[in-house]
Amino acid sequence: MPYPYHQINDDDITYFEALFPSNRITRKESIKKEYFHDEMPEYGIFPPDLYIEAINKEEVSTVMRYAYQNNIPVTARGAGTGLAGGATCKYGGILLSLMKMNKISQIDYENLTITVEPGALLTEVAEVAQAGGLFYPPDPGERTASIGGTVITNAGGMRAVKYGVTRDYVRAIEAVLPDGEIVNFSSNVVKNTTGYDIKDIIIGSEGTLCILTEVTLRLIPAPKYTWSIIVPYDEINACIETVPKLLQMSFIPTAIEFLEAELLDIVEKHLNKSFPDRNGKAYLIVMIDGSSRKEIEQMINEASAICIESGAKDALICNTDERSTSVWSVRAAVLEGMKADSVAQEECDVVVPRARIADYVKMAKIIGKKYGIRIITVGHAGDGNIHTELLRDEQLSDEQWLSNTTACLKELYALSKELGGQLSGEHGIGNGRLEFLEDFIGKRMYRLFQSIKLAFDDKNILNPGKLVVLEKIDLEGIK
Amino acid sequence: MPYPYHQINDDDITYFEALFPSNRITRKESIKKEYFHDEMPEYGIFPPDLYIEAINKEEVSTVMRYAYQNNIPVTARGAGTGLAGGATCKYGGILLSLMKMNKISQIDYENLTITVEPGALLTEVAEVAQAGGLFYPPDPGERTASIGGTVITNAGGMRAVKYGVTRDYVRAIEAVLPDGEIVNFSSNVVKNTTGYDIKDIIIGSEGTLCILTEVTLRLIPAPKYTWSIIVPYDEINACIETVPKLLQMSFIPTAIEFLEAELLDIVEKHLNKSFPDRNGKAYLIVMIDGSSRKEIEQMINEASAICIESGAKDALICNTDERSTSVWSVRAAVLEGMKADSVAQEECDVVVPRARIADYVKMAKIIGKKYGIRIITVGHAGDGNIHTELLRDEQLSDEQWLSNTTACLKELYALSKELGGQLSGEHGIGNGRLEFLEDFIGKRMYRLFQSIKLAFDDKNILNPGKLVVLEKIDLEGIK
């Protein structure tokens, strides 16, 4: 550990055990192994020295105040469903769970907002909104994520095409700074130019700048009709080349997802879920919503015509709950399917300009072949965020897998950069993509990241070693 | 000047005159007085030591590299239409105009974006979008603003109710850092979680962190129909209390503007523009857009019914260009009208939660009376951003006006804070609201602002003394 953190000792434990009831504090030896990693154990397994569950912001503040004074690293954690190795204790210290801070306010109809503690689940928030006749659009695949986790990672999901990402729905944040101070970033207002927009740099900061204790989220009127079309193609290029054309319609589609037929085989084989159509080699699923039946019919017709003109074999309308469920449950199961179908996985979460998606998918396949790695592309074609899954088959040795995936990822990131894309579209940097960041963004930008980290966390105690590394460098040398 | 900047001397001038042709560099004694202030000379008149017009990012970089090495303050300037005293040389140094960097790219239809240099005018960008069948929604009153100015101040405007503010349309930024390095914040992608979201802290940073050299803006499909209703009320409270009800309709209105009849008199008297209805004491103007004639008729009916139920005398539909022009040209003229109708003006740009607008307006009137200041409230009721105009009538002495406006503003800011609002909704802090900022956001948050400023601008040479003050404090003491 290059930075000399204080190693938690009996005195520290005594201090915290006097403050927290025994069912909310766990010593190192009894901490459950699930807290050593997130959904990607490939990105590091790190045992905390102490596990604490907070129930309010004052407790979070108390923990941070002590940690700041005593130079102890703290990592906040939600549901642990991240895909970047973010919510783990890379340098030991305290894992501070926010899952017991899970209150959801009543809907504020006059401001069209809802106020939520970070440990509430995304799915619960969406349900409360829906039950109240409103709509919370962000929908990353993982609906058991905590809402705080989705805010601190700026979770995306497929509806970003029309509705944007989590950032677009966060109106205000209450948080605890590394020194324990409780602060508010913006408030329940629609516009704000009161100095620096700190709220937005917190969103997506992966727990490295502050700890969320409450978020106020914007809700919108619920769309009255949501239909989808399933569009099979004989050929992957024609399929993916349809996407930019769909983005030039007279309206914005809700989602445009992309699936290769190979994935449908995998999901059927391992999870026994079948897709309503199996005639294509590649599919688009286009989701559309509208305010009247007539409007949505027109939209569906416009989208279908574009797909057929672009070489689709068909455009099957899903306008019943049953049909929609059968489509979207397969889409939701692809990650689980791929895990079942391979020995190990790596994942590339690049995002490229939407005009370059076809180029990216074509080249990604070629790069995968070069390294003998099975590559499946899947996901959010409509927003340029194609998840590129690298699957390890049994014949590869540990060393081959490691060196080939690293080399393959480097080429995929270089490709993304060349196409004007980014390193991560929605999963974040965390620990898993950290080694690729400095090369991608450049030295000067990396230094700016370090300066920003230090502006908030001058002792580098909050989720250290994630998103940006300070340990390598002389802390005093950064301005 | 507490921080010892280098005073520009003949050697510096010689250096720059060798680099810039004589028609793009002006010595102190010949600089036009209009560059000493923005649209609010009340917020400070500051002569620069040197005026330079850049034509590309390399020139901006060259200026900053020299300024950084030599410790010379630099303020970038667009069209100078700001309302916070932002784009001025508070500590002298170089005023760097970006108005000759005004290229506008072709529309990128596949990505639905347009790439623009900072000196292009907002109105030109909007026109190019419109001519191309698309829509750039941000619409601050001042359409002769430079697009760079609107981005660096996160300009708002009335369409924020439905479409959000400038921030929501900025997809990527190219900028020059204080040390002269040219960097990119994000790229033409829809999602991005590649580390800290620097782009969003740049937006609204008022030229204190970097200098914009290019922005890529998102365009959206143009609405097919845009109609308005003019809604007169006998009484200001009933008028303003209608707003939260309009926000609970089955759709989001484009804009909800609020006008007192007194303003209509002023605009008619001084600018000879008449409003199509004069039966009310207060008015809402509700703008609505939709995708079909049937849809917009339904929306207009829904909105009209809510207004009538809430005490409106009428709801007059504007669905012709002629009628719309007569309404919106009066609305656009109110600031000019108030300037003509008073000896001096001060302006309070608070934003409050939309549920608290009525409370704010009622109390603001009472506060104004207390200080013998004529207060007119006007503006963006639909987003809680009510401009509170303080007008100086002739009977007030200079001292009375100064002390009374300061006391009055303090109460208005305290009121906004009590209601959960913010100090500035869309005009920013600049120099004019600086004295009120630390009190409003608190000492710890102010310190965070200072740390962020230093993370970008460790020598405090970029537009110093705006948005946040570093001069007061020991620069080395901030972490």
Side-chain angles (χ1 to χ4, degrees):
Chain A
M1 193 185 341
Y3 195 69
Y5 292 114
H6 168 67
Q7 178 64 44
I8 290 181
N9 59 29
D10 285 347
D11 287 349
D12 305 315
I13 293 173
T14 305
Y15 174 81
F16 285 116
E17 282 183 345
L19 291 172
F20 291 90
S22 61
N23 61 340
R24 295 201 280 113
I25 184 164
T26 310
R27 289 175 182 228
K28 187 178 178 97
E29 56 278 13
S30 308
I31 297 171
K32 288 184 192 157
K33 288 217 166 63
E34 65 183 90
Y35 296 127
F36 296 9
H37 59 79
D38 67 2
E39 290 277 312
M40 288 295 277
E42 292 85 351
Y43 295 155
I45 292 180
F46 301 112
D49 294 315
L50 193 62
Y51 173 80
I52 295 175
E53 293 176 343
I55 56 168
N56 57 44
K57 62 185 171 190
E58 291 78 15
E59 287 189 353
V60 175
S61 171
T62 301
V63 170
M64 287 317 303
R65 214 171 287 277
Y66 186 88
Y68 186 81
Q69 281 158 7
N70 293 282
N71 207 23
I72 298 168
V74 178
T75 299
R77 183 166 167 119
T81 59
L83 294 169
T88 57
C89 290
K90 192 163 168 183
Y91 298 110
I94 298 168
L95 188 67
L96 183 62
S97 171
L98 306 174
M99 292 305 285
K100 286 210 158 65
M101 292 175 64
N102 57 5
K103 289 190 205 79
I104 300 178
S105 76
Q106 304 247 301
I107 292 174
D108 175 346
Y109 281 98
E110 289 200 309
N111 289 306
L112 288 184
T113 52
I114 191 165
T115 298
V116 187
E117 289 185 335
L121 300 188
L122 168 64
T123 186
E124 293 167 347
V125 175
E127 278 162 17
V128 171
Q130 194 181 14
L134 292 169
F135 183 40
Y136 181 66
D139 183 29
E142 183 58 71
R143 307 203 77 200
T144 60
S146 69
I147 199 82
T150 65
V151 170
I152 212 66
T153 60
N154 189 26
M158 65 186 184
R159 288 192 198 123
V161 184
K162 176 166 182 174
Y163 291 107
V165 294
T166 301
R167 172 182 313 287
D168 301 304
Y169 296 87
V170 180
R171 188 160 285 171
I173 287 174
E174 179 194 76
V176 173
L177 294 176
D179 61 5
E181 192 90 5
I182 299 167
V183 290
N184 290 281
F185 303 122
S186 201
S187 58
N188 198 341
V189 291
V190 174
K191 290 169 162 177
N192 185 7
T193 56
T194 310
Y196 297 127
D197 175 29
I198 298 182
K199 169 171 74 73
D200 273 291
I201 209 156
I202 297 304
I203 300 166
S205 63
E206 306 186 25
T208 64
L209 304 181
C210 64
I211 298 180
L212 303 184
T213 53
E214 192 178 271
V215 292
T216 298
L217 304 170
R218 180 166 81 95
L219 304 175
I220 63 174
K224 294 194 182 97
Y225 294 84
T226 301
W227 293 5
S228 305
I229 48 174
I230 308 173
V231 193
Y233 288 80
D234 270 336
E235 198 259 312
I236 188 170
N237 287 346
C239 176
I240 205 86
E241 281 167 5
T242 306
V243 176
K245 298 175 195 164
L246 288 170
L247 295 169
Q248 293 175 60
M249 296 189 291
S250 64
F251 63 93
I252 304 175
T254 311
I256 307 173
E257 292 288 297
F258 165 70
L259 278 175
E260 298 182 52
E262 186 182 355
L263 262 180
L264 303 179
D265 297 334
I266 290 173
V267 171
E268 197 160 311
K269 178 176 160 198
H270 296 283
L271 303 167
N272 203 24
K273 288 184 178 186
S274 56
F275 200 66
D277 182 275
R278 292 306 308 271
N279 288 317
K281 268 198 74 177
Y283 288 83
L284 292 183
I285 317 174
V286 185
M287 185 190 275
I288 290 168
D289 64 46
S291 61
S292 71
R293 196 179 164 100
K294 193 179 158 204
E295 186 191 14
I296 198 156
E297 281 172 353
Q298 281 173 349
M299 291 163 139
I300 290 280
N301 288 343
E302 188 178 341
S304 299
I306 287 172
C307 293
I308 299 293
E309 275 164 31
S310 309
K313 303 175 71 170
D314 207 342
L316 305 151
I317 300 177
C318 304
N319 57 3
T320 63
D321 284 352
E322 190 190 355
R323 175 61 80 90
S324 291
T325 305
S326 75
V327 172
W328 294 109
S329 76
V330 169
R331 168 64 189 92
V334 298
L335 198 63
E336 199 185 342
M338 287 187 285
K339 284 197 175 188
D341 200 63
S342 56
V343 184
Q345 306 81 37
E346 246 294 359
E347 194 226 33
C348 170
D349 172 49
V350 297
V351 58
V352 297
R354 303 195 284 189
R356 310 307 299 272
I357 300 166
D359 296 331
Y360 175 77
V361 170
K362 274 179 241 172
M363 284 301 299
K365 292 280 183 186
I366 294 170
I367 293 168
K369 276 216 182 83
K370 183 169 147 188
Y371 292 101
I373 287 174
R374 182 153 59 121
I375 277 197
I376 299 183
T377 51
V378 60
H380 315 313
D383 55 33
N385 182 211
I386 298 283
H387 297 309
T388 315
E389 305 294 336
L390 286 63
L391 303 185
R392 175 177 174 183
D393 293 325
E394 283 178 10
Q395 74 275 11
L396 280 184
S397 70
D398 285 358
E399 295 73 35
Q400 277 176 320
W401 166 248
L402 195 67
S403 70
N404 287 13
T405 49
T406 303
C408 184
L409 282 173
K410 277 191 180 164
E411 282 207 39
L412 291 171
Y413 293 140
L415 171 63
S416 172
K417 196 168 176 180
E418 190 192 320
L419 297 173
Q422 294 289 334
L423 180 59
S424 176
E426 60 180 21
H427 293 169
I429 303 302
N431 198 44
R433 273 170 275 277
L434 196 54
E435 65 175 296
F436 304 103
L437 182 65
E438 188 171 355
D439 253 12
F440 195 94
I441 64 174
K443 281 191 191 308
R444 180 66 183 90
M445 190 70 85
Y446 197 80
R447 188 149 60 86
L448 192 52
F449 275 26
Q450 291 173 320
S451 302
I452 288 168
K453 165 72 172 169
L454 280 172
F456 286 82
D457 184 14
D458 62 329
K459 289 189 167 180
N460 190 26
I461 58 168
L462 209 52
N463 202 10
K466 308 292 174 58
L467 194 152
V468 63
V469 173
L470 294 179
E471 291 81 349
K472 276 196 224 164
I473 51 145
D474 174 11
L475 275 174
E476 300 308 308
I478 295 286
K479 291 246 182 92
Chain B
M1 189 184 346
Y3 193 72
Y5 292 114
H6 168 68
Q7 178 64 46
I8 289 181
N9 59 29
D10 286 346
D11 287 349
D12 304 317
I13 292 172
T14 305
Y15 174 83
F16 285 116
E17 283 183 343
L19 291 173
F20 291 89
S22 60
N23 62 339
R24 294 200 281 111
I25 184 164
T26 310
R27 290 176 182 224
K28 186 177 177 101
E29 55 277 13
S30 310
I31 297 171
K32 288 186 191 153
K33 289 216 166 62
E34 65 183 89
Y35 297 128
F36 296 8
H37 58 80
D38 66 2
E39 292 277 312
M40 288 295 276
E42 293 84 352
Y43 295 154
I45 293 181
F46 302 112
D49 295 314
L50 193 61
Y51 173 80
I52 295 175
E53 294 176 342
I55 56 168
N56 57 44
K57 62 184 171 191
E58 290 78 15
E59 288 189 352
V60 176
S61 170
T62 301
V63 170
M64 289 315 303
R65 212 172 287 276
Y66 186 88
Y68 186 80
Q69 282 159 7
N70 293 283
N71 207 24
I72 299 169
V74 178
T75 299
R77 182 164 168 123
T81 59
L83 295 169
T88 56
C89 291
K90 192 165 171 182
Y91 297 109
I94 300 168
L95 189 66
L96 184 61
S97 170
L98 306 174
M99 291 306 283
K100 287 211 159 63
M101 292 175 63
N102 58 5
K103 289 189 204 79
I104 300 178
S105 75
Q106 304 246 301
I107 293 173
D108 175 346
Y109 281 98
E110 290 200 310
N111 289 305
L112 287 184
T113 53
I114 191 165
T115 298
V116 187
E117 287 186 336
L121 299 188
L122 169 64
T123 184
E124 294 168 344
V125 174
E127 278 162 18
V128 171
Q130 196 181 12
L134 292 169
F135 183 40
Y136 181 67
D139 184 29
E142 183 58 71
R143 307 202 79 199
T144 61
S146 69
I147 199 83
T150 65
V151 170
I152 211 70
T153 61
N154 190 24
M158 64 186 185
R159 289 194 198 120
V161 185
K162 177 166 180 173
Y163 291 106
V165 293
T166 300
R167 174 184 310 290
D168 300 303
Y169 296 87
V170 180
R171 188 159 285 167
I173 286 174
E174 179 194 77
V176 173
L177 294 176
D179 62 5
E181 191 91 3
I182 300 167
V183 291
N184 290 281
F185 302 122
S186 200
S187 57
N188 198 342
V189 292
V190 175
K191 293 168 161 177
N192 186 8
T193 56
T194 309
Y196 296 127
D197 174 30
I198 297 180
K199 168 171 74 74
D200 274 290
I201 209 157
I202 297 303
I203 300 166
S205 64
E206 304 187 25
T208 65
L209 304 182
C210 64
I211 298 180
L212 303 184
T213 53
E214 191 179 272
V215 292
T216 297
L217 304 169
R218 181 166 79 96
L219 305 174
I220 63 174
K224 294 195 183 94
Y225 294 84
T226 302
W227 293 6
S228 304
I229 50 175
I230 307 173
V231 193
Y233 289 80
D234 270 336
E235 196 261 309
I236 188 168
N237 286 348
C239 177
I240 205 86
E241 282 167 3
T242 307
V243 177
K245 297 175 197 162
L246 288 170
L247 295 169
Q248 292 175 62
M249 296 190 289
S250 64
F251 63 93
I252 303 173
T254 311
I256 306 173
E257 293 289 298
F258 165 70
L259 277 175
E260 297 183 53
E262 187 182 356
L263 262 182
L264 303 180
D265 297 334
I266 289 174
V267 171
E268 199 160 311
K269 179 176 159 198
H270 295 283
L271 303 168
N272 202 24
K273 289 185 178 186
S274 56
F275 200 65
D277 184 277
R278 293 304 307 271
N279 287 316
K281 266 197 74 176
Y283 288 84
L284 293 182
I285 317 173
V286 185
M287 185 189 276
I288 289 169
D289 64 46
S291 60
S292 71
R293 195 178 165 101
K294 193 180 160 204
E295 186 190 14
I296 198 155
E297 281 172 353
Q298 281 173 351
M299 290 162 141
I300 290 280
N301 288 343
E302 186 177 343
S304 300
I306 287 170
C307 293
I308 299 292
E309 275 165 33
S310 309
K313 301 175 72 168
D314 206 342
L316 304 151
I317 299 177
C318 304
N319 57 3
T320 62
D321 282 353
E322 191 190 353
R323 176 62 81 89
S324 291
T325 305
S326 75
V327 172
W328 293 109
S329 76
V330 170
R331 168 66 189 91
V334 299
L335 198 62
E336 200 185 338
M338 286 187 286
K339 284 198 173 188
D341 201 63
S342 56
V343 183
Q345 306 81 36
E346 248 292 357
E347 195 227 32
C348 172
D349 171 51
V350 297
V351 58
V352 297
R354 302 194 284 188
R356 309 307 298 273
I357 299 166
D359 296 332
Y360 174 77
V361 171
K362 273 180 242 173
M363 285 300 300
K365 292 277 181 189
I366 294 168
I367 293 169
K369 276 215 182 81
K370 184 169 146 188
Y371 292 101
I373 288 174
R374 183 154 58 119
I375 277 197
I376 299 183
T377 50
V378 58
H380 316 312
D383 54 34
N385 181 210
I386 298 282
H387 297 309
T388 316
E389 306 295 335
L390 286 62
L391 302 185
R392 176 178 172 183
D393 291 327
E394 283 178 10
Q395 75 276 11
L396 280 183
S397 70
D398 285 358
E399 296 71 34
Q400 278 176 320
W401 167 248
L402 195 67
S403 69
N404 287 15
T405 48
T406 303
C408 184
L409 282 173
K410 276 190 181 164
E411 282 207 39
L412 291 171
Y413 294 139
L415 170 63
S416 172
K417 196 169 176 179
E418 191 192 320
L419 297 174
Q422 295 290 332
L423 180 57
S424 177
E426 59 180 22
H427 293 170
I429 302 304
N431 197 44
R433 274 170 273 277
L434 196 54
E435 65 176 295
F436 304 103
L437 182 66
E438 187 169 357
D439 253 12
F440 195 95
I441 63 174
K443 282 192 189 309
R444 182 65 183 92
M445 191 69 84
Y446 197 80
R447 188 149 60 87
L448 193 49
F449 275 26
Q450 292 173 318
S451 303
I452 288 168
K453 166 73 172 169
L454 280 172
F456 285 83
D457 183 15
D458 61 329
K459 290 190 166 179
N460 191 26
I461 57 167
L462 209 51
N463 203 10
K466 309 294 173 57
L467 193 150
V468 63
V469 173
L470 294 180
E471 291 80 353
K472 275 195 226 167
I473 54 151
D474 174 12
L475 275 174
E476 301 307 308
I478 296 288
K479 288 250 180 86

